[in-house]
Amino acid sequence: MERLAGLACGRIRLPGGWAGDTTVRFSPDGRIEAVEPGLDPALPRADGPVIPGMPNLHSHAFQRAMAGLAERAGPAEDSFWTWRDTMYGFVRRLTPEDAQAIAALLYSEMLTQGYTAVAEFHYLHHAPDGTPYADRAEMATRIIAAADTAGIGLTLLPVLYAHGGFGGQPPADGQRRFLNTPGGLRAILDAAARAMAGRTGWRTGLALHSLRAVTADEMAAALDGLPPGTPVHIHIAEQTAEVDACVAWSGRRPVEWLLDHAPVSPDWCLVHATHMTADETAAVARCGAVAGLCPTTEANLGDGLFPAPAFLAHGGRFGIGSDSHISVSPTEDLRLLEYGQRLAARQRNVLRQPGEASIGAGLYRTALAGGTQALGRPGTPGIAAGQPADLVILNPDDPRLMGRDGDALLDAHVFAGSGHGVRGVVAAGCVVVRDGRHVRHGAIVAAYRRALERLRG
Ligand code: ZN
């Protein structure tokens, strides 16, 4: 992949707003070194308006290959839980090679859509019968290799998954590949951290699958000794059945229980957090954790609507993720986030950010900040010195974007359907997408096709 020393930008969205002629210089390891006024003629010129790349804060990469396979009505009412059965059936056949090929394809798709980094919530750890691979981090290493191939920034979150329901219930058969003790998980984390060393913006964190899958003691053991600033992600309150089961077990709702029993802080990302009371909503906002919203997956699974207006009114932070990857598009997820609220409130322009009239630009900026926080990337989010050089070049020849300037460009990019809005992408200083196509598209798709053939055979 071609590594750039910088980019000369005629129009660019900086943290303080839009700017004209600007030079962004990159360090040899792919960070932004300086942002300076004027165009350096020695650097390549961006052939369109430049916006910061979006972090994708929630991904289960292997699920991309089953997108669309669970859209057939079953004999009874379908739900998240029937979708999960389809997923378990799919997981049974997946080899490490398959997982790597699927993840590489997914990450290349993310990049072409303008996601430049991903938090991989990685719980597919073991062989199909549940035995750890000879290298416990085999599957984590496959994710790392896939991110390398695609050139996307990676926050790898090995997941602690130990039980099949609240209160330490035994796991089901379909969950065998996911199971670990806190000690087993720590071994995977350490091996992954070694394998990832030296890459700009990459890091590990920890995920707790959900309160269904870990007990209070296991959670405490997993968190013990974790350095401050380490991202901690957890699925929480996605389904009403999950809330009911949590209340039956503990007398508390999932978010209530979590806030009472865990040191939830700005290092944490609460994925979904769909079903919260007004008090829970305010408390999550106050503690500074990021709400990890995945609107297209939540819609696909029939989860419910996140209480976004109340959460934002309390100063809550959010980012977006593509989760099951039924869709892989930051603009589609941001659009659906706003549209869900419009349909519920029967109003327009609901998720208005303080001091920002433009809904598309406000959603983009807020999700960028929340995603950067959730991926454990300190510093000013976006195109700022010290951050990985993750830049998206919009396509000025896309009719949807023609004649648009400033935040109106972002409004059109987010809301005006899904066209070919992204022309080029630079991730950690390397050109990964050119003319709307991933630079390794051919090889990545060929490997994916081979994996699908194996899976079908
Ligand atoms: Zn998830």
Side-chain angles (χ1 to χ4, degrees):
M1 286 170 183
E2 187 192 356
R3 177 170 285 288
L4 303 181
L7 202 59
C9 312
R11 288 188 283 170
I12 184 167
R13 184 63 157 89
L14 298 174
W18 283 92
D21 295 351
T22 299
T23 292
V24 185
R25 295 190 192 285
F26 308 157
S27 64
D29 69 345
R31 283 191 187 274
I32 295 173
E33 207 166 53
V35 180
E36 300 163 354
L39 297 173
D40 182 340
L43 289 174
R45 178 83 187 256
D47 50 1
V50 176
I51 62 174
M54 179 64 75
N56 185 331
L57 58 57
H58 193 60
S59 164
H60 310 289
F62 72 87
Q63 293 178 12
R64 177 58 171 163
M66 54 170 285
L69 290 181
E71 309 306 316
R72 296 167 62 88
E77 200 172 272
D78 285 304
S79 67
F80 168 85
W81 311 102
T82 55
W83 172 89
R84 198 176 69 158
D85 290 339
T86 308
M87 188 266 278
Y88 286 174
F90 184 78
V91 153
R92 230 166 262 143
R93 302 189 296 275
L94 214 66
T95 67
E97 293 77 15
D98 298 334
Q100 179 176 340
I102 296 166
L105 176 85
L106 169 71
Y107 295 159
S108 74
E109 290 180 298
M110 285 186 189
L111 287 161
T112 57
Q113 295 292 324
Y115 282 122
T116 46
V118 59
E120 181 64 34
F121 196 104
H122 170 63
Y123 61 81
L124 186 56
H125 298 299
H126 308 311
D129 65 356
T131 315
Y133 289 104
D135 171 5
R136 280 193 88 95
E138 167 78 38
M139 292 299 257
T141 309
R142 299 294 182 152
I143 295 290
I144 293 166
D148 256 337
T149 300
I152 199 166
L154 179 65
T155 292
L156 182 65
L157 307 165
V159 176
L160 181 60
Y161 197 134
H163 300 285
F166 290 100
Q169 292 171 39
D173 224 33
Q175 296 167 331
R176 282 186 299 197
R177 300 192 74 175
F178 315 152
L179 304 176
N180 266 308
T181 59
L185 187 80
R186 194 53 71 96
I188 293 174
L189 250 172
D190 291 346
R194 282 194 299 276
M196 292 169 71
R199 291 170 184 87
T200 298
W202 285 35
R203 63 164 308 151
T204 54
L206 173 81
L208 307 162
H209 180 271
S210 59
L211 298 182
R212 304 191 303 273
V214 293
T215 62
D217 288 349
E218 287 157 350
M219 184 187 303
L223 295 172
D224 185 40
L226 220 54
T230 304
V232 178
H233 291 215
I234 184 170
H235 289 133
I236 196 101
E238 178 174 8
Q239 287 283 320
T240 52
E242 175 189 6
V243 176
D244 296 344
C246 189
V247 171
W249 160 64
S250 67
R252 314 283 276 166
R253 301 166 56 83
V255 170
E256 268 181 334
W257 191 96
L258 184 73
L259 294 175
D260 281 354
H261 291 83
V264 180
S265 72
D267 292 341
W268 284 59
C269 177
L270 274 47
V271 180
H272 305 308
T274 306
H275 299 288
M276 296 195 287
T277 61
D279 285 349
E280 287 175 313
T281 305
V284 171
R286 266 198 309 273
C287 77
V290 175
L293 307 181
C294 310
T296 52
T297 291
E298 289 156 10
N300 182 270
L301 296 176
D303 286 349
L305 268 185
F306 177 78
F311 185 67
L312 294 184
H314 288 289
R317 306 168 193 187
F318 74 83
I320 50 165
S322 51
D323 191 0
S324 72
H325 314 300
I326 188 67
S327 156
V328 186
S329 159
T331 54
E332 190 176 350
D333 265 310
L334 291 174
R335 184 163 67 239
L336 186 58
L337 175 61
E338 167 71 18
Y339 281 175
Q341 301 300 329
R342 290 188 191 188
L343 289 164
R346 285 172 280 159
Q347 287 173 20
R348 298 193 69 250
N349 300 336
V350 179
L351 300 179
R352 186 176 173 159
Q353 306 297 305
E356 217 154 1
S358 175
I359 303 300
L363 288 171
Y364 200 94
R365 180 184 54 75
T366 311
L368 171 70
T372 303
Q373 178 179 329
L375 265 62
R377 294 179 158 196
T380 305
I383 302 171
Q387 287 294 345
D390 291 352
L391 289 79
V392 170
I393 303 161
L394 296 179
N395 180 5
D397 298 327
D398 181 341
R400 302 175 310 130
L401 305 184
M402 283 178 187
R404 303 284 192 271
D405 249 325
D407 284 348
L409 252 176
L410 278 169
D411 285 339
H413 185 48
V414 170
F415 286 105
S418 23
H420 302 282
V422 173
R423 170 171 277 175
V425 177
V426 173
C430 290
V431 177
V432 287
V433 173
R434 191 175 268 130
D435 294 327
R437 196 176 158 95
H438 191 274
V439 295
R440 292 178 175 159
H441 179 83
I444 288 173
V445 171
Y448 178 73
R449 192 191 304 276
R450 285 194 298 275
L452 275 194
E453 280 162 8
R454 267 199 305 272
L455 280 165
R456 293 215 326 244

